[in-house]
Amino acid sequence: MPDLSFAIEGAEPVPYAASPMLALKLRVANTPPDQSIRGITLQCQIQIEAPRRPYTKEEQARLLDLYGPPERWGQTLRTSFWTNAGVNVPPFSGAVTVDVPVPCSFDFNVASTKYFHALESGEAPLCVLFSGTVFFDDPERGFTVAQIPWAKEARYRLPVNVWKRVIDLYYPNTAWLTLRRDVFDRLHEYKMQNSIPTWDLALERLLS
């Protein structure tokens, strides 16, 4: 039975995906190293370990919507789900490095978007939980299929500027809001009645 270990060695933006995406550089190693791994169908659940970093006063203010006032963070600041990702690991012996494509939502109704957007700099602590199926050659049974144990995981501190580079690459100087249809209709009517040429200007007038 293979004994797989996982380590994330870096992250970078994916420049030409259909939607914002970053790639985690995942190293998969096996013991014994001379065993032939035919392939792995790998699923990754990525969690944000929010308690594992400090926050500036400005970041605390921007995280009010997620965690409430800082004096309550002892109860509210918890590890939270970010996203699921998957990758097919090619055949290897010993170790191999693959890119895990991670979708990066810029929808401000999503908690992870609010979290990353609130951070100024530094790193976001992640925990990646692995599951899936490994196909390998067994000396006695030949071609064999086994499940990856649920205990397999890897931690990584994602540089905040990598996430920001991903978003700036796909949405330069732009943010997206999702509105209820009736709210949008009211905003649209206000824009037309006042002959306002752009949505930005309509919102700026309402805010002022």
Side-chain angles (χ1 to χ4, degrees), residues 106 108 117 167-168 170-177 200:
F106 204 38
F108 279 87
H117 183 72
I167 298 305
D168 288 343
Y170 287 84
Y171 301 121
N173 196 31
T174 305
W176 291 96
L177 290 176
D200 285 345

Side-chain angles (χ1 to χ4, degrees), residues 25-51:
K25 304 294 183 179
L26 177 66
R27 185 177 188 272
V28 185
N30 181 47
T31 303
D34 58 347
Q35 185 176 39
S36 177
I37 302 297
R38 296 285 192 93
I40 304 172
T41 302
L42 190 63
Q43 286 82 47
C44 311
Q45 182 186 105
I46 306 175
Q47 300 179 347
I48 299 171
E49 296 188 305

Side-chain angles (χ1 to χ4, degrees), residues 82-191:
W82 176 12
T83 190
N84 289 313
V87 65
N88 291 321
V89 180
F92 71 95
S93 294
V96 66
T97 300
V98 295
D99 286 352
V100 178
V102 180
C104 298
S105 172
F106 204 38
D107 181 353
F108 279 87
N109 289 316
V110 177
S112 60
T113 300
K114 296 178 183 179
Y115 178 82
F116 284 114
H117 183 72
L119 303 184
E120 295 179 317
S121 60
E123 299 167 330
L126 305 180
C127 180
V128 184
L129 309 177
F130 299 100
S131 61
T133 306
V134 55
F135 308 89
F136 62 98
D137 290 325
D138 184 273
E140 298 179 356
R141 294 177 293 174
F143 180 75
T144 307
V145 178
Q147 297 299 306
I148 296 172
W150 287 98
K152 297 295 184 180
E153 62 182 41
R155 283 184 164 82
Y156 178 64
R157 302 189 72 85
L158 174 70
V160 172
N161 65 0
V162 172
W163 187 87
K164 293 183 181 295
R165 282 166 52 203
V166 171
I167 298 305
D168 288 343
L169 182 64
Y170 287 84
Y171 301 121
N173 196 31
T174 305
W176 291 96
L177 290 176
T178 302
L179 303 176
R180 288 200 325 265
R181 184 64 58 83
D182 62 310
V183 175
F184 171 78
D185 289 342
R186 290 170 58 195
L187 181 60
H188 190 204
E189 183 179 359
Y190 171 82
K191 178 176 178 291

Side-chain angles (χ1 to χ4, degrees), residues 63-82:
L63 289 167
L64 184 68
D65 190 30
L66 282 180
Y67 306 122
E71 56 267 23
R72 295 188 58 236
W73 281 19
Q75 291 76 44
T76 61
L77 195 64
R78 293 287 183 267
T79 295
S80 59
F81 171 79
W82 176 12

